[in-house]
Amino acid sequence: MTSSELWTRATADRYDAEEHEMSSGSVLGPTLDFLAGLAGDGRALEFAIGTGRVGVPLRQRGVPVAGIELSEHMAAVLRRKIDEDTLPVTIGDMATTTVPGKFTLVYLVYNTITNLLTQDEQVECFRNAARHLTPGGRFVIELGVPPLRFLPPGQVAVPFDVSERHLGFDTFDLVEQILVSHHLTRDGDDGRYRRSSSRHRYAWPAELDLMARIAGLELEVRVADWDREPFTQDSAKHISVWRKPA
């Protein structure tokens, strides 16, 4: 067991509805194109596959996909969509859990590397990816760039969403490199909001490159999004691809 916080049944059951925009064609189309291109004729392994937002449609595109997922509740939601023979999922943490076979692609999307709350565990995640890759295979991570430049002196919170039904902001512990995402979500029309929060360990691109080097992987490309826009100092996130030497 790693330090990752477990998703509850209630959170898993409402996850897809709350993340419906992330499941739209405009978001998933470029994501699937990117990943399918890297997988080629091989197999793909998704760390923290969750409810299958990416893994299920990638499998439907013809890419053989397997998954690792810490939360049995999230995996149960995925299982309502696709059977075990078509998309096998192993319950366990992404830092140490192994599955049979080798893969041309291992991927970890939507900031999920930050669910591992220590640097050591994040390093082990890279090592686990390398362990599963064929020579020449790739490890892909999608991760936001820590928005610390938006923090004026004395401020510890940065808002990331202010909409009709959701208020979201992150608070930062700059010493421990931990952020807490706070959510106020309005479920109905009675004016009440549900409050939730989750802890994450943020990491900079250069830090991830060092983790990859420790695991024997080499940076191949870093772009700003799934459409392969250039990564710049103004990019809010990055898609990074590391390659296992052939």
Side-chain angles (χ1 to χ4, degrees):
M1 179 68 70
T2 70
S3 61
S4 298
E5 297 177 347
L6 276 171
W7 295 81
T8 65
R9 181 185 301 276
T11 301
D13 285 343
R14 61 175 174 256
Y15 181 83
D16 285 347
E18 292 185 346
E19 298 293 343
H20 67 279
E21 291 185 8
M22 294 299 297
S23 300
S24 65
S26 61
V27 173
L28 275 184
T31 305
L32 299 176
D33 290 342
F34 192 109
L35 296 175
L38 291 180
D41 295 328
R43 304 167 65 214
L45 173 63
E46 181 171 356
F47 284 176
I49 194 169
T51 65
R53 178 183 67 89
V54 175
V56 170
L58 186 61
R59 181 66 185 89
Q60 291 169 342
R61 283 202 176 194
V63 178
V65 176
I68 293 174
E69 173 54 44
L70 183 61
S71 169
E72 294 185 22
H73 301 303
M74 295 288 276
V77 175
L78 178 149
R79 195 53 64 218
R80 301 170 195 164
K81 307 172 184 178
I82 195 166
D83 64 84
E84 175 72 17
D85 290 337
T86 305
L87 200 167
V89 174
T90 300
I91 301 299
D93 69 84
M94 56 188 165
T96 63
T97 301
T98 59
V99 301
K102 294 292 184 179
F103 300 82
T104 58
L105 173 67
V106 178
Y107 65 95
L108 180 54
V109 298
Y110 205 20
N111 302 321
T112 312
I113 184 75
T114 67
N115 288 1
L116 298 170
L117 298 179
T118 71
Q119 186 181 69
D120 285 345
E121 289 174 356
Q122 291 178 352
V123 169
E124 288 305 313
C125 181
F126 272 82
R127 284 177 166 157
N128 200 28
R131 191 178 298 127
H132 286 91
L133 286 172
T134 60
R138 277 92 168 192
F139 182 35
V140 176
I141 283 181
E142 175 189 22
L143 183 59
V145 176
L148 300 190
R149 63 180 177 172
F150 296 112
L151 286 174
Q155 181 173 311
V156 297
V158 174
F160 60 84
D161 184 34
V162 180
S163 56
E164 182 180 356
R165 292 191 171 273
H166 180 253
L167 302 174
F169 61 93
D170 292 329
T171 55
F172 293 84
D173 180 334
L174 303 183
V175 174
E176 297 297 330
Q177 213 163 303
I178 295 291
L179 70 84
V180 181
S181 287
H182 305 265
H183 303 268
L184 293 171
T185 306
R186 191 170 73 182
D187 290 326
D189 296 322
D190 59 1
R192 296 183 181 182
Y193 282 79
R194 171 174 43 84
R195 181 175 180 176
S196 62
S197 63
S198 58
R199 293 186 302 152
H200 307 268
R201 182 186 187 272
Y202 62 86
W204 301 96
E207 185 181 6
L208 298 180
D209 290 342
L210 184 55
M211 294 180 189
R213 185 179 299 182
I214 292 171
L217 305 176
E218 303 169 347
L219 180 67
E220 183 172 70
V221 66
R222 173 168 291 127
V223 292
D225 55 33
W226 297 108
D227 290 313
R228 295 182 179 269
E229 290 297 317
F231 179 73
T232 71
Q233 64 180 2
D234 296 319
S235 299
K237 73 173 186 178
H238 62 96
I239 313 296
S240 296
V241 181
W242 297 274
R243 184 174 180 271
K244 184 174 183 176

